[in-house]
Amino acid sequence: MTTERARISLSVAPAHTGSELLAVMSARLLKEGQTVFAGVGIPLLAAILAQKTHAPGLTILFEGGVIGPFVEAGKLPPSTNEQRCSRRANMLVSITEVLLLLQRGYVDVGFMGGAQIDRFGNLNSSFIGDADKPKIRLPGTGGGNDIASLADMIVAMKHEKRRFVEKVDFITSPGFLDGGDTRAQAGLPAGGMFRVVTDLGILGFDGESRAMSVLALHPGVTPADIKANTGFELPVPDDVEVTPAPTPAELAILRELDPEQLYTA
């Protein structure tokens, strides 16, 4: 890893795409020594970026049965079941064994995206519209329901009114359900939504009501921007923080990982 980092040029222009912003801000939330369940795309880029910067001991899990891989720069896997996911992995096991680790409490963070999210962090990746005649069919849960039911969740997605809705069309992956203690009452005492990272800011959840609120805005973003792109009331504190912009070093790592901009365009 030291050799790989030594090759990185620090002369990258500071301009960045929205997807690069999502990856950088998400990576900063991951901590040294954690175990993270990551999907392909932004979640994987963020996890690798964290490994290469401040959390070299971060362990990545893939749903396909891979534990502790180090994905090669420029050769990102297109799915969690692809052979490139297994480079330098500690273990290759079955899907069942990976999900059993999750059930036993060995996974700290689950990391995914979604098509819709509501004020209590419930995610929809199943369909848009009516269940009998949906307007759009989406990929579905995969392991999303398991992960959201048992681990602390980080969600990365674009901040748009059509995505941030009052009530999701279908709960694929549970957040805090109807708020308060309804998640625990439904038999899910562990885990829950931790952070939502968007191209406008970083969002968290109140400890009692479990409703979403703004923790920080990205540089140049205003409370009016948040309001215009959210389909429900999303509080913004008067003294809201502003996130530090992505650094040239962080952007250089991302661009080495994804030189063709498959996920960061």
Side-chain angles (χ1 to χ4, degrees):
M1 182 171 62
T2 303
T3 303
E4 292 176 349
R5 291 180 64 180
R7 295 200 306 267
I8 296 168
S9 170
L10 300 184
S11 60
V12 177
H16 52 75
T17 67
S19 296
E20 288 174 333
L21 180 66
L22 286 179
V24 169
M25 297 302 168
S26 299
R28 291 175 181 176
L29 294 174
L30 299 173
K31 299 177 181 178
E32 171 67 6
Q34 286 184 325
T35 299
V36 57
F37 223 128
V40 296
I42 297 300
L44 177 57
L45 283 172
I48 299 173
L49 177 58
Q51 279 184 334
K52 289 179 175 290
T53 52
H54 62 278
L58 183 76
T59 298
I60 298 173
L61 298 186
F62 289 129
E63 182 186 343
V66 181
I67 301 175
F70 289 87
V71 176
E72 189 172 358
K75 296 182 179 180
L76 295 176
S79 82
T80 58
N81 293 315
E82 212 264 354
Q83 194 64 26
R84 278 171 283 187
C85 284
S86 61
R87 177 178 177 266
R88 292 178 54 199
N90 293 324
M91 295 180 69
L92 300 177
V93 299
S94 69
I95 294 176
T96 302
E97 288 176 286
V98 167
L99 293 179
L100 282 173
L101 289 174
L102 179 67
Q103 292 173 12
R104 291 167 180 160
Y106 290 111
V107 178
D108 299 301
V109 179
F111 200 159
M112 66 178 70
Q116 289 182 326
I117 190 168
D118 64 26
R119 67 170 67 244
F120 297 118
N122 301 303
L123 275 176
N124 174 21
S125 56
S126 295
F127 59 82
I128 302 296
D130 183 76
D132 295 326
K133 293 183 179 180
K135 296 178 183 178
I136 301 174
R137 290 191 179 277
L138 301 167
T141 177
N145 185 282
D146 303 71
I147 298 167
S149 295
L150 297 164
D152 289 334
M153 288 296 303
I154 296 175
V155 171
M157 58 195 300
K158 286 199 68 175
H159 203 132
E160 300 173 325
K161 186 169 284 189
R162 63 174 181 163
R163 294 177 181 271
F164 282 74
V165 296
E166 182 69 35
K167 189 175 180 63
V168 294
D169 293 340
F170 183 80
I171 298 178
T172 309
S173 304
F176 293 111
L177 299 180
D178 294 318
D181 62 352
T182 55
R183 179 182 171 95
Q185 289 179 2
L188 300 174
M193 200 59 62
F194 174 58
R195 294 288 185 268
V196 179
V197 182
T198 79
D199 51 343
L200 298 183
I202 297 177
L203 318 175
F205 295 84
D206 181 78
E208 293 186 8
S209 71
R210 298 301 193 181
M212 188 187 298
S213 62
V214 176
L215 299 180
L217 297 177
H218 299 322
V221 177
T222 68
D225 296 327
I226 290 284
K227 182 177 180 180
N229 288 279
T230 307
F232 53 85
E233 186 69 27
L234 186 57
V236 183
D238 294 335
D239 58 348
V240 65
E241 295 183 10
V242 177
T243 60
T247 67
E250 289 170 324
L251 294 174
I253 294 171
L254 284 180
R255 291 166 186 176
E256 184 182 42
L257 290 171
D258 188 16
E260 297 179 358
Q261 290 194 303
L262 296 176
Y263 302 111
T264 58

